[in-house]
């Protein structure tokens, strides 16, 4: 079984968490893409979706799934998305696909966050995967200097502009013992839009694709 098979299995298992007649929150990335493909098979029993990126919106529409503006939606009962790392408390690093800010917004609105991932994403301590931080372009150097003060080594993600018109700094060398504290500290830096730390709004459920099937953690 390949890692992609495990991602697909986890994503397909998330369909069981989708209530009838709801607007589903949909994340970004290869695992979220598997979820979108599975969602297409049951599109007749949902109202539609809100998407955390232009890429996911396009994939949803290509399947004939209506995509709503988040501002036009009263409730998002469930949000399904992948992660770059997830710990035992279901805190995550996200943003490998540069969609972290919209992911955090949809996750904040959603009543339940279901993380879908292959087993390589599970870690004891977050930080081996460089932490993405979305930054207003004119603040890039200032934010980078502040991130160094917090113990990180920020690297500008060359050639990437987010769906919101901003840039990404990937912060290497962090060993994140207290994710919620660091999330707050980074979000306080002027010029930061948001960080890819999802600790204050963690996942509620993790569906982890493994060689022996999909394991559920809460
Ligand atoms: C995008 C994300 C993704 O969820 C994360 O990068 C995982 O991606 P994949 O499912 O391709 O492994 O946060 O911004």
């Amino acid at each position: 079984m390949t890692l992609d098979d495990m991602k697909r299995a986890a994503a397909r298992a998330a369909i069981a968490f989708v209530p009838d007649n709801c607007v589903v929150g949909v994340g970004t990335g290869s695992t979220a893409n598997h979820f979108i493909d599975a969602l297409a098979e049951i599109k007749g029993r949902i109202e539609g979706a809100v998407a955390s990126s232009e890429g996911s919106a396009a994939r949803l529409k290509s399947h004939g799934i209506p995509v709503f503006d988040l501002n036009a939606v009263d409730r998002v009962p469930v949000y399904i998305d992948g992660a770059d790392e997830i710990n035992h408390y279901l805190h995550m690093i996200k943003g490998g696909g540069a969609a972290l800010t919209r992911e955090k917004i949809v996750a904040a609105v959603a009543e339940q966050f279901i993380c879908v991932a292959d087993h390589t994403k599970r870690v004891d301590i977050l930080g081996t995967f460089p932490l993405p931080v979305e930054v207003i372009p004119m603040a890039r150097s200032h934010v980078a200097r502040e991130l160094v003060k917090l113990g990180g080594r920020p690297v500008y993600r060359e050639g990437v502009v987010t769906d919101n018109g901003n840039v990404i700094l990937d912060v290497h060398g962090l060993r994140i013992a207290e994710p919620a504290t660091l999330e707050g500290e980074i979000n306080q830096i002027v010029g930061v839009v948001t960080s890819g730390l999802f600790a204050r709004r963690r996942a509620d459920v993790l569906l982890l694709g493994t060689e022996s099937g999909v394991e559920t953690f809460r």
Side-chain angles (χ1 to χ4, degrees):
M1 195 186 264
T2 67
L3 282 182
D4 197 53
D5 292 333
M6 295 179 216
K7 289 181 184 200
R8 187 183 300 103
R12 293 189 76 83
I15 292 293
F17 290 82
V18 177
D20 286 350
N21 304 315
C22 77
V23 175
V24 186
V26 174
T28 298
S30 57
T31 320
N33 281 346
H34 286 309
F35 175 72
I36 293 171
D37 297 346
L39 195 62
E41 296 171 20
I42 59 131
K43 67 181 177 188
R45 71 167 178 85
I46 61 165
E47 259 185 56
V50 290
S52 69
S53 64
E54 300 296 337
S56 291
R59 195 176 184 101
L60 286 157
K61 287 177 191 164
S62 77
H63 282 301
I65 298 171
V67 177
F68 297 103
D69 183 318
L70 185 61
N71 295 302
V73 165
D74 289 334
R75 282 185 65 211
V76 179
V78 68
Y79 177 58
I80 286 96
D81 198 1
D84 297 301
E85 283 185 348
I86 183 161
N87 69 13
H88 296 270
Y89 301 101
L90 308 191
H91 301 146
M92 295 163 281
I93 286 183
K94 293 183 44 53
L100 59 160
T101 299
R102 294 190 187 191
E103 289 170 349
K104 208 172 254 196
I105 293 168
V106 183
V109 173
E111 288 155 36
Q112 262 208 311
F113 185 148
I114 315 296
C115 179
V116 286
D118 68 78
H119 67 91
T120 63
K121 305 295 182 70
R122 194 111 194 275
V123 297
D124 289 330
I125 302 269
L126 299 173
T128 302
F129 189 93
L131 176 66
V133 179
E134 180 163 351
V135 177
I136 302 286
M138 74 171 286
R140 192 182 87 211
S141 298
H142 166 68
V143 172
R145 286 189 289 270
E146 295 299 308
L147 290 168
V148 169
K149 289 182 196 164
L150 291 176
R153 191 163 40 81
V155 176
Y156 174 41
R157 203 183 292 182
E158 296 273 357
V160 170
V161 177
T162 70
D163 285 347
N164 313 306
N166 299 313
V167 297
I168 299 283
L169 294 173
D170 291 306
V171 190
H172 295 246
L174 293 172
R175 196 170 178 279
I176 306 173
E178 294 187 33
T181 304
L182 185 64
E183 182 178 357
E185 286 171 344
I186 294 176
N187 286 346
Q188 292 295 329
I189 300 171
V190 172
V192 166
V193 179
T194 200
S195 81
L197 265 176
F198 284 59
R200 295 179 174 209
R201 203 294 175 242
R202 65 179 185 93
D204 299 296
V205 177
L206 166 62
L207 298 174
L208 196 68
T210 73
E211 288 282 358
S212 51
V214 178
E215 294 177 20
T216 304
F217 299 88
R218 290 173 198 268

